[in-house]
Amino acid sequence: MSSTPTFTLNNVRKVYSNGTTALHDLNLTINDGQFVSLLGPSGCGKSTVLRLVAGLGKMSSGQLIWGSNARNKLAFVFQEAALMPWATVEDNVRLPLKLAGMSKAASDAAVAEAIAMVDLTGFESCYPRELSGGMKMRVSIARALVTKPEVLLMDEPFGALDEMTRSRLNSDLLDLWQQKQWTVVFVTHNIYEAVYLSNRVIVMAARPGRVVADVAIEAPYPRTEEFRTSPLFNQYCREISACLSRAANHHKEPFSESPSPRANMVDSVA
């Protein structure tokens, strides 16, 4: 795994106009090719982090430092598929290229490739109303991939799906990540999903949000269904659950030692 930073957030603070402090002195570095999950209590600023990185909001103070030209090759997958109901799968996927001024003829190959990557070949002419929830999310992912990104920001994209569909999309996403070697930052509330997907899990404290633990998931890829039921998987889930419990109750007791040598707890959270 590369040690070259894709981007670094230094002492980032975000205060909304109503006075709510969403982030306070948040520090985080994401390296090229990593799959990093952000995990924490509701309202801890996970989605805010993604939006700041994507340029969809302004930080109140601090710095976002890009390590390469990856900032120009960034794609965002939101919680909701947000497809145009009047447009076919093909036209929904084509939208970013159309907005960039690319002609249909010039974009046909990229659209077909993106649809194939999410296993929707044959559904190009279907409308969103004809698709399942999982298929709609695949269209949303294809729409992000059609721009050939290097950085993929994903804001809890599978949260509304049933467990079977979610599990299948987790595996499909990992396969694509290994093929394309993207840098992925993935927001989730699901510990099991975070451990299965990631090589790092970042735990954030309740508002104001900041990083309180950085857990390396030292399990090889590709990850199979056997990994989900392994002792190592269960151990990581327990460790991260302990980190989350401490993050949610940070105002009751200060952070001290890590629950595990692999879990790097950040001390400046009292």
Side-chain angles (χ1 to χ4, degrees):
M1 191 64 60
S2 173
S3 59
T4 302
T6 300
F7 65 83
T8 298
L9 294 164
N10 283 335
N11 298 316
V12 169
R13 188 166 177 262
K14 174 63 178 180
V15 182
Y16 286 105
S17 58
N18 64 1
T20 299
T21 301
L23 300 173
H24 178 74
D25 288 343
L26 182 136
N27 294 282
L28 178 64
T29 296
I30 305 294
N31 292 336
D32 290 349
Q34 287 188 324
F35 197 120
V36 179
S37 286
L38 303 184
L39 199 63
S42 294
C44 73
K46 302 182 294 296
S47 296
T48 300
V49 171
L50 291 196
R51 289 178 176 274
L52 293 178
V53 173
L56 300 178
K58 293 184 178 180
M59 59 190 73
S60 302
S61 61
Q63 289 181 303
L64 167 60
I65 302 169
W66 288 91
S68 66
N69 66 348
R71 66 181 305 170
N72 300 317
K73 297 181 179 180
L74 180 151
F76 202 124
V77 179
F78 295 90
Q79 291 179 10
E80 302 293 335
L83 304 180
M84 300 180 294
W86 60 86
T88 63
V89 166
E90 185 176 65
D91 288 338
N92 269 288
V93 173
R94 191 188 308 277
L95 181 62
L97 302 183
K98 183 178 180 180
L99 293 176
M102 188 178 295
S103 69
K104 181 179 183 303
S107 62
D108 275 346
V111 170
E113 180 184 8
I115 289 173
M117 278 195 285
V118 299
D119 198 25
L120 283 179
T121 301
F123 293 89
E124 293 87 347
S125 299
C126 292
Y127 291 89
R129 65 179 179 272
E130 300 171 312
L131 305 176
S132 68
M135 293 172 77
K136 289 177 184 177
M137 188 50 65
R138 287 178 186 271
V139 177
S140 180
I141 294 171
R143 185 172 57 193
L145 302 186
V146 76
T147 61
K148 300 187 184 300
E150 292 182 5
V151 179
L152 191 58
L153 307 178
M154 308 187 78
D155 190 0
E156 204 172 359
F158 309 141
L161 302 177
D162 64 86
E163 284 303 312
M164 186 175 296
T165 302
R166 185 175 190 152
S167 177
R168 185 165 64 249
L169 287 177
N170 283 171
S171 296
D172 290 347
L173 176 60
L174 275 190
D175 288 343
L176 286 171
W177 169 70
Q178 288 183 271
Q179 293 171 30
K180 300 297 181 180
Q181 299 183 324
W182 303 309
T183 302
V184 178
V185 186
F186 187 96
V187 166
T188 181
H189 284 94
N190 190 302
I191 294 173
Y192 307 106
E193 182 172 61
V195 171
Y196 180 73
L197 291 172
S198 312
N199 40 48
R200 283 173 70 196
V201 175
I202 304 299
V203 179
M204 294 178 61
R207 186 181 300 127
R210 64 264 197 218
V211 175
V212 295
D214 187 341
V215 184
I217 308 299
E218 297 173 347
Y221 294 94
R223 293 184 180 164
T224 64
E225 288 303 309
E226 285 72 22
F227 175 57
R228 292 183 194 268
T229 56
S230 68
L232 181 61
F233 181 86
N234 291 328
Q235 180 181 344
Y236 278 124
C237 290
R238 287 194 299 270
E239 291 173 5
I240 293 171
S241 180
C243 291
L244 276 172
S245 178
R246 293 170 66 82
N249 294 285
H250 71 281
H251 59 287
K252 296 179 181 178
E253 59 175 304
F255 284 92
S256 55
E257 296 182 359
S258 161
S260 159
R262 285 189 293 268
N264 178 24
M265 302 295 291
V266 179
D267 295 325
S268 58
V269 297

